[in-house]
Amino acid sequence: MISESELMEMGYKLGLIERLGELICAESNLVLREAFEILVDYSESEYKYAEYMRHINIPPRILKVLDTVSDNEVAESGLIVLGNICTSSISARNELLQTNLVPYILRAWSKDLTIDSLRTLCWLASSLCRGIPSPPLQQVQEIIFGFNSLLVCDEDVMLSIVMALYELTKDDYQVVNKILKLIKLKDLLDAAGNIDSTEIRRYCMAFLGNICAGGNSSVEHVLDCGGLEKFSETLAHVPVSYTHLRAHETSLHLVCRLLLEKKKKKKK
């Protein structure tokens, strides 16, 4: 049961969020900085505050000012608020996909960004691709194609990318062939292989497993991109743990399918 003091604190925060929402249209970077910092704090602390921000239409207000903000740190804080709202619920994610957020992300990717801004944008783009059920592919296909230009040797950026690809393919194998037409798989595997990250390797393994479940043509594509060699390197670096059992099960199926397919090739 919620105590009276907790109710008072909640009422205070909700009232402050509403007031801050009104200040977002301000032209002062200082005002926006302070408003966004508080909204980041509240949206990270509990989902109910992120949901309330969505309820009072804060996302469209943030998007309206992002193109005019000259301070990169202020813009980054605004994007973090949007990301927290996006991850608060599937309905919040779906609503954001209906706004001009995706075009904004694509425009921002074409600019000369700091690594922190790039990481934030990739995390936000990845959040738009994730969740159950997955979003319709047509709503995020430009994001997936845009990932090709971001295959840099940065752990946070690559993790955001492989998490999005894994999530999009794990429950709907029918989208695999469509995604393979959008993403440059060989470049992705090369970039991921250059980063010493167990978590990235796990997600790559699971993503490759999802691809192979899409059929023989998908397996062929993985082989052509050097997936078998990359997978062998990956397996040697990934420790077995109960938490990641599903990923390892996926990997074993992947190994079997790749080896069988390679054996058939040799016989021919």
Side-chain angles (χ1 to χ4, degrees):
M1 187 174 178
I2 300 176
S3 67
E4 186 177 344
S5 62
E6 288 174 324
L7 281 173
M8 288 178 66
E9 181 185 1
M10 189 187 304
Y12 166 76
K13 287 184 176 180
L14 294 177
L16 183 56
I17 288 170
E18 197 161 344
R19 177 61 184 138
L20 292 171
E22 295 168 1
L23 292 174
I24 287 175
C25 296
E27 295 182 1
S28 164
N29 279 334
L30 181 60
V31 172
L32 286 174
R33 180 191 295 273
E34 292 181 356
F36 285 162
E37 283 178 359
I38 296 172
L39 291 175
V40 166
D41 260 352
Y42 286 4
S43 59
E44 283 179 347
S45 64
E46 292 187 58
Y47 283 144
K48 64 173 175 276
Y49 296 125
E51 281 289 295
Y52 186 67
M53 292 174 200
R54 169 192 162 211
H55 177 69
I56 61 173
N57 293 318
I58 281 182
R61 297 179 204 177
I62 294 177
L63 283 167
K64 191 173 180 179
V65 302
L66 279 179
D67 277 322
T68 61
V69 172
S70 56
D71 188 318
N72 285 337
E73 289 185 7
V74 173
E76 194 176 327
S77 294
L79 291 171
I80 293 172
V81 176
L82 291 175
N84 291 339
I85 293 172
C86 178
T87 56
S88 67
S89 68
I90 294 299
S91 54
R93 181 204 69 188
N94 293 342
E95 280 186 18
L96 284 170
L97 283 168
Q98 299 297 328
T99 67
N100 63 342
L101 178 55
V102 172
Y104 172 82
I105 291 172
L106 297 174
R107 288 197 306 275
W109 277 346
S110 66
K111 298 176 183 177
D112 187 18
L113 299 169
T114 65
I115 190 63
D116 286 337
S117 295
L118 181 58
R119 287 168 179 164
T120 300
L121 278 165
C122 285
W123 164 71
L124 177 53
S126 179
S127 298
L128 290 170
C129 296
R130 286 150 49 198
I132 301 173
S134 297
L137 186 59
Q138 62 267 27
Q139 289 189 323
V140 295
Q141 61 185 3
E142 289 182 289
I143 289 176
I144 299 168
F145 185 75
F147 283 154
N148 291 310
S149 64
L150 305 173
L151 300 177
V152 295
C153 295
D154 179 79
E155 185 172 338
D156 290 336
V157 171
M158 284 304 303
L159 182 58
S160 292
I161 292 173
V162 294
M163 284 177 70
L165 293 171
Y166 164 68
E167 291 269 345
L168 283 167
T169 54
K170 70 176 181 178
D171 293 318
D172 188 357
Y173 299 131
Q174 294 181 351
V175 307
V176 166
N177 288 329
K178 294 177 182 177
I179 286 178
L180 288 178
K181 291 177 182 178
L182 295 169
I183 196 75
K184 296 176 182 177
L185 184 60
K186 186 178 186 308
D187 291 349
L188 174 75
L189 294 176
D190 288 342
N194 289 330
I195 299 174
D196 186 18
S197 166
T198 299
E199 194 169 12
I200 288 175
R201 290 191 178 104
R202 283 195 182 110
Y203 274 106
C204 272
M205 280 167 30
F207 173 50
L208 289 177
N210 292 347
I211 291 175
C212 290
N216 288 335
S217 62
S218 300
V219 175
E220 187 79 27
H221 187 64
V222 170
L223 282 169
D224 290 342
C225 293
L228 183 59
E229 291 76 16
K230 287 292 178 187
F231 180 82
S232 300
E233 294 169 13
T234 298
L235 192 62
H237 289 84
V238 177
V240 176
S241 69
Y242 178 78
T243 308
H244 294 90
L245 180 60
R246 181 180 174 186
H248 284 283
E249 286 176 340
T250 305
S251 339
L252 292 173
H253 285 98
L254 170 63
V255 166
C256 291
R257 294 197 62 167
L258 289 177
L259 289 174
L260 285 171
E261 188 64 23
K262 193 160 189 178
K263 189 175 180 181
K264 286 179 187 175
K265 275 187 169 183
K266 285 183 177 178
K267 283 183 177 180
K268 290 179 181 178

